[in-house]
Amino acid sequence: MIYEAAVLVVGTAAGLLWVQSEPDQPQPARLARFARLQRLPPGFFSPGVWHYLRVTRLWRGVGLTAGAVVSALQFGIYASPLLLGWFAGVLVAEHRLARARPRTPPARVALLSPAATAFWSVCLGVTVGLLVRVVILDPAELTARLGAFAALAVLLAVLSLLSRLHTAHEYVDETAVRARSAQVLATGGGVSTVWLALGAAPLGPALGIAASALSLVALFIGTRPATGRPSSRPWWIPASAGLVLAPAVALIPPAPGAQVHMGVQYATRQACSDAGCTHWVLDGGRPLPEADADPFVIHPDGTAVVYRDRTTGRLVLRDFLKDTARDLPGDGEPAFSPDGRHLATTGHLIDLTSGKELPIPGLVRVVGLSDRAVVGLTAPRTTLDGELVAYDFQGRVVSRAPFDPSQPAWLIPGGKEVFVLTRWGDAAQMEVATGKVRARHRLDTGASVDFRGWDGPDRALISDWYTLRILDLASGKLSRAPADYARHTVHREIRS
């Protein structure tokens, strides 16, 4: 909280200083730079030009400062908040300028340079294609759809402002100002809508890299000279040519794993106190008051969760993409397969693709699922004798090994070993097939330890009271989790 408050205070102060530093009197140096950029005669001056420069610089600076604050609150410097904050300032400035202009009939004038026209046209086609994909062809969850609607809102705002710019007027300085506005709106608006639409429909890292390259292209084109010239056709005809790209973009197949970060990445629940127990809250602030304290498991791609309903006591699969809730058979601690296609509960294996349920009578407690097998125990925790058994997805036994079921265990990503918290307060790695101990880890925490999840294939998250720690299984090193992990203590699911 101290860091967030400091960032907000510093950001607010920086924004106020920026507003106060904007001079009221014309600055010859800035006017000269604008004249050179727009290819106006040397020594050119107009009150309208100075008003334009002052308004745009003021609001773009405020937007950029706001973007920097958002970026800092995310513990880093990220391009998208900076870009979107700056462009929000552009939209505010251009809206204020447009309101001050008289309404006149449309004029056949080309304010955009050929490069800016082509850039906007391509971005328009890509954005429309992504929006069609997210909203119609492959509907995303609510938060992703909100990102798509934000992209659509920016798109419509830019089109409206560009239409207001392409109207009749008589003055050279007004042509220069409008050409500069159109250039900035087309390049900045084009890349902003693509960023927003890609955030709503992530299609893999390749397109993310392409969007970053698009930002550099926008910067290059947006800073080039822009002068208005007569045109034989309305401005929107060449600017809309890129819509032919929309069908191809809408049908791009998703890259493997591209949906991983689209859904829920973690969930939190504060510890119970004298005032009672609070409910689960998903990342992004969405509450799930119907979910009981335990169990609570997140689907590998974040699009669903499994929890016990507070009212009925039954396990429920909540699908955020379909906005459905389904009662599940069985009980205990459920687990998903790494690809998210299968779900295991006590005595049951469920194929989430086909909906088929396979009874596994000997499965008393689920330890975890690999790509090919369900690993579980044949006896409850209240006994000392049991077996660690692996079943394939047809319910056949693959391996058996002796195991003490009173010890809590979880399948290590990879599916060949289990992670065990022993009754002596240490941790061990055991082979699924043989029950042989492969490694032991001493946990000198001075308190009882709970398992919280996995941070990658060989890093276990454990907690003692309210301290979150990372155990590196490869080296045996136990370290305190970073601050951004500690903000989500008590219960947390982390997916690599």
Side-chain angles (χ1 to χ4, degrees):
M1 286 297 294
I2 296 177
Y3 173 79
E4 286 86 347
V7 169
L8 290 173
V9 169
V10 172
T12 303
L16 292 173
L17 288 174
W18 181 271
V19 172
Q20 293 296 324
S21 66
E22 188 63 29
D24 293 326
Q25 300 301 319
Q27 302 294 304
R30 286 171 59 185
L31 288 167
R33 284 196 301 270
F34 181 81
R36 287 195 301 270
L37 182 62
Q38 298 304 114
R39 296 175 177 171
L40 295 171
F44 178 85
F45 170 74
S46 164
V49 170
W50 174 248
H51 175 70
Y52 166 81
L53 293 176
R54 187 173 185 276
V55 170
T56 54
R57 186 174 186 269
L58 174 65
W59 286 105
R60 292 175 192 177
V62 169
L64 186 62
T65 302
V69 169
V70 173
S71 181
L73 289 174
Q74 297 177 7
F75 296 90
I77 300 299
Y78 301 97
S80 53
L82 295 175
L83 168 67
L84 296 176
W86 169 82
F87 192 70
V90 170
L91 290 178
V92 172
E94 295 299 336
H95 176 69
R96 292 176 67 89
L97 292 168
R99 287 181 59 188
R101 295 189 182 107
R103 289 188 175 272
T104 54
R108 292 196 174 185
V109 58
L111 297 177
L112 293 171
S113 67
T117 300
F119 182 86
W120 167 257
S121 180
V122 170
C123 290
L124 178 65
V126 171
T127 301
V128 170
L130 291 174
L131 296 183
V132 169
R133 180 192 187 91
V134 171
V135 178
I136 301 175
L137 299 182
D138 187 16
E141 63 168 342
L142 178 60
T143 53
R145 289 200 297 268
L146 290 176
F149 293 144
L152 180 61
V154 171
L155 188 67
L156 295 176
V158 172
L159 287 172
S160 174
L161 290 170
L162 285 174
S163 297
R164 293 285 297 273
L165 291 172
H166 287 80
T167 54
H169 58 278
E170 301 177 357
Y171 303 103
V172 174
D173 59 340
E174 183 67 15
T175 300
V177 163
R178 293 190 183 203
R180 174 51 37 200
S181 290
Q183 195 91 337
V184 172
L185 284 169
T187 53
V191 75
S192 296
T193 54
V194 170
W195 271 101
L196 287 169
L198 277 177
L203 296 175
L207 283 182
I209 295 172
S212 300
L214 204 65
S215 302
L216 298 177
V217 175
L219 179 64
F220 175 77
I221 296 176
T223 54
R224 305 300 295 170
T227 56
R229 61 194 185 282
S231 175
S232 59
R233 53 187 175 178
W235 70 274
W236 53 266
I237 292 181
S240 304
L243 288 174
V244 298
L245 300 173
V249 173
L251 298 175
I252 292 177
Q259 304 294 322
V260 167
H261 298 291
M262 198 175 80
V264 177
Q265 295 191 48
Y266 61 82
T268 59
R269 185 181 67 85
Q270 296 300 318
C272 296
S273 64
D274 294 338
C277 299
T278 59
H279 53 248
W280 285 96
V281 178
L282 307 180
D283 57 344
R286 182 179 6 173
L288 277 180
E290 66 272 25
D292 208 347
D294 290 301
F296 193 94
V297 182
I298 300 176
H299 191 279
D301 68 6
T303 58
V305 296
V306 175
Y307 56 83
R308 188 188 310 281
D309 189 279
R310 286 178 183 268
T311 304
T312 65
R314 301 199 60 175
L315 292 180
V316 174
L317 173 67
R318 177 72 178 272
D319 191 316
F320 298 118
L321 288 181
K322 299 178 182 178
D323 196 22
T324 58
R326 164 189 173 186
D327 286 345
L328 299 174
D331 202 348
E333 182 77 19
F336 288 100
S337 61
D339 61 7
R341 295 183 58 187
H342 293 86
L343 172 69
T345 63
T346 300
H348 295 270
L349 176 66
I350 304 163
D351 188 324
L352 297 177
T353 303
S354 65
K356 293 182 179 179
E357 300 176 3
L358 176 68
I360 306 181
L363 184 62
V364 176
R365 195 168 105 224
V366 178
V367 173
L369 278 74
S370 68
D371 291 326
R372 300 180 180 179
V374 183
V375 179
L377 301 176
T378 60
R381 272 186 189 171
T382 53
T383 64
L384 298 177
D385 296 321
E387 289 182 311
L388 183 67
V389 183
Y391 306 86
D392 64 18
F393 289 161
Q394 284 72 46
R396 298 185 293 258
V397 175
V398 177
S399 65
R400 290 181 180 271
F403 190 84
D404 179 359
S406 66
Q407 300 181 121
W410 298 268
L411 190 65
I412 297 174
K416 297 182 179 180
E417 298 179 350
V418 293
F419 177 73
V420 182
L421 292 177
T422 69
R423 63 170 63 95
W424 300 281
D426 294 334
Q429 294 172 240
M430 299 178 63
E431 287 185 348
V432 171
T434 64
K436 180 180 178 180
V437 176
R438 300 288 298 173
R440 293 187 182 275
H441 306 284
R442 187 173 181 82
L443 306 177
D444 295 321
T445 62
S448 61
V449 173
D450 292 320
F451 177 78
R452 297 304 183 198
W454 296 104
D455 183 29
D458 56 1
R459 285 159 57 94
L461 284 166
I462 60 175
S463 67
D464 53 286
W465 296 104
Y466 294 103
T467 303
L468 196 64
R469 303 179 187 275
I470 299 176
L471 174 63
D472 190 314
L473 301 184
S475 65
K477 181 181 177 182
L478 183 66
S479 58
R480 198 180 181 99
D484 57 336
Y485 282 45
R487 290 189 303 166
H488 305 295
T489 54
V490 184
H491 287 277
R492 172 179 173 147
E493 289 286 335
I494 295 181
R495 300 173 291 107
S496 58

